[in-house]
Amino acid sequence: DADVTQTPRNRITKTGKRIMLECSQTKGHDRMYWYRQDPGLGLRLIYYSFDVKDINKGEISDGYSVSRQAQAKFSLSLESAIPNQTALYFCATSELGSSYNEQFFGPGTRLTVL
Amino acid sequence: AQKVTQAQTEISVVEKEDVTLDCVYETRDTTYYLFWYKQPPSGELVFLIRRNSFDEQNEISGRYSWNFQKSTSSFNFTITASQVVDSAVYFCALSEALRSNYQLIWGAGTKLIIKP
C-alpha cells in the first residue's frame, strides 16, 4: 500500500465550484505539504504544516485554503475554482527533526477547471 | 535569494548515449541539501539522491552518477548508457537548513527523451 495517498486522482470541474483535494499518509510524518505543478515551472509550494496546529502559507497560497484534520490528513480546498488553477497537485510529507527534509510524494491529483 | 536553475528545458538523445543534466543553485546558507527527483510519464515523483553541503564526494549508483561542486554551485546528474526507461522529467531541488525552514526550492525540470 502507498505511504502517501491522494484522492481524487483526477477531477474535472467548472469555474466557481468548490473543490477539496485530500491527502493521507501512513508514514507517521509530522510535516505535510501541498504543491502544484505547471508545465515548465517545476513545483510551487501552496501551503505547509509542521503539525496539526501549525499551518503556513507557501509561495502561491492565494485562492487556496487547507485543513490539517489529523497528523495523517491534510486537505487542500479551492473555494471557487478558476481555470488557471488547472494543474497537477502533489501532497508530500517529511519527518520532523529531519535535518535534510527529504520529502515523500503522493501520486498527484490532476485537476482541470473548465 | 535561494534559487535552483536547470537551464536545459529538454534533452533528446539516442539510447546508449551518455547524458548530463545540469543543476546550478544559489544559497547563502552554509548548510544545505540538494536533491534529484525523477518524474516518469506516469506522473509520480521518485526520489533519486540527497547530498549535503559538507559532502562533495561524487556519487555513483549503477548507471547514475552525481557531480557536486561547491566552487561552481552545481550538482549535475549523469546517466551512462541511457535507456528508454530513463525518459522522464528530472528535477533538482535545494533545502536550506536555516533560512527557508527546510522548504524545498525546485528547479523547473529537464525533460529527458531517450530515443530507441
Side-chain angles (χ1 to χ4, degrees):
Chain A
D1 288 342
D3 295 320
V4 184
T5 58
Q6 293 182 232
T7 55
R9 293 294 311 279
N10 289 282
R11 182 71 184 268
I12 300 174
T13 191
K14 295 181 179 180
T15 297
K17 293 291 187 180
R18 185 178 187 274
I19 296 297
M20 178 179 286
L21 309 182
E22 300 191 0
C23 176
S24 295
Q25 53 112 347
T26 59
K27 299 189 75 65
H29 289 169
D30 287 294
R31 299 175 181 171
M32 298 188 74
Y33 310 80
W34 275 105
Y35 291 92
R36 67 176 279 174
Q37 181 183 15
D38 298 277
L41 292 179
L43 275 72
R44 292 183 292 167
L45 184 64
I46 306 172
Y47 271 95
Y48 61 103
S49 169
F50 282 2
D51 66 41
V52 174
K53 298 179 181 178
D54 176 79
I55 302 289
N56 303 280
K57 293 183 177 180
E59 180 186 354
I60 52 163
S61 58
D62 287 349
Y64 301 94
S65 62
V66 291
S67 173
R68 184 80 184 268
Q69 302 96 322
Q71 187 207 36
K73 296 184 182 296
F74 192 35
S75 300
L76 176 72
S77 293
L78 288 68
E79 296 300 326
S80 180
I82 56 177
N84 76 1
Q85 291 177 313
T86 293
L88 182 58
Y89 289 84
F90 284 101
C91 174
T93 74
S94 67
E95 190 172 4
L96 185 66
S98 164
S99 59
Y100 42 81
N101 198 36
E102 178 182 336
Q103 295 184 10
F104 299 83
F105 287 84
T109 295
R110 192 167 297 278
L111 177 66
T112 303
V113 183
L114 301 176
Chain B
Q2 66 275 27
K3 186 178 177 182
V4 176
T5 302
Q6 294 180 255
Q8 305 149 309
T9 304
E10 183 174 305
I11 301 174
S12 180
V13 300
V14 177
E15 197 172 22
K16 298 183 183 178
E17 288 186 12
D18 298 347
V19 58
T20 295
L21 309 182
D22 297 334
C23 173
V24 174
Y25 62 92
E26 296 177 28
T27 179
R28 290 177 291 171
D29 269 7
T30 56
T31 302
Y32 54 89
Y33 304 88
L34 295 162
F35 301 80
W36 276 95
Y37 283 83
K38 174 182 179 180
Q39 186 177 40
S42 52
E44 72 272 23
L45 284 162
V46 179
F47 167 79
L48 294 178
I49 192 172
R50 176 188 72 246
R51 173 66 70 211
N52 74 53
S53 54
F54 299 108
D55 182 2
E56 287 194 72
Q57 283 190 344
N58 290 334
E59 176 97 8
I60 298 174
S61 176
R63 297 183 297 105
Y64 294 173
S65 63
W66 290 268
N67 182 1
F68 176 32
Q69 291 195 340
K70 290 179 74 171
S71 61
T72 56
S73 296
S74 64
F75 186 42
N76 296 337
F77 172 31
T78 297
I79 301 175
T80 303
S82 61
Q83 300 176 2
V84 173
V85 294
D86 296 326
S87 296
V89 180
Y90 291 86
F91 291 97
C92 181
L94 165 71
S95 172
E96 297 172 313
L98 295 176
R99 296 182 190 278
S100 63
N101 207 8
Y102 300 107
Q103 294 178 47
L104 283 182
I105 309 301
W106 294 80
T110 296
K111 184 176 183 179
L112 178 62
I113 300 169
I114 309 297
K115 300 177 183 176

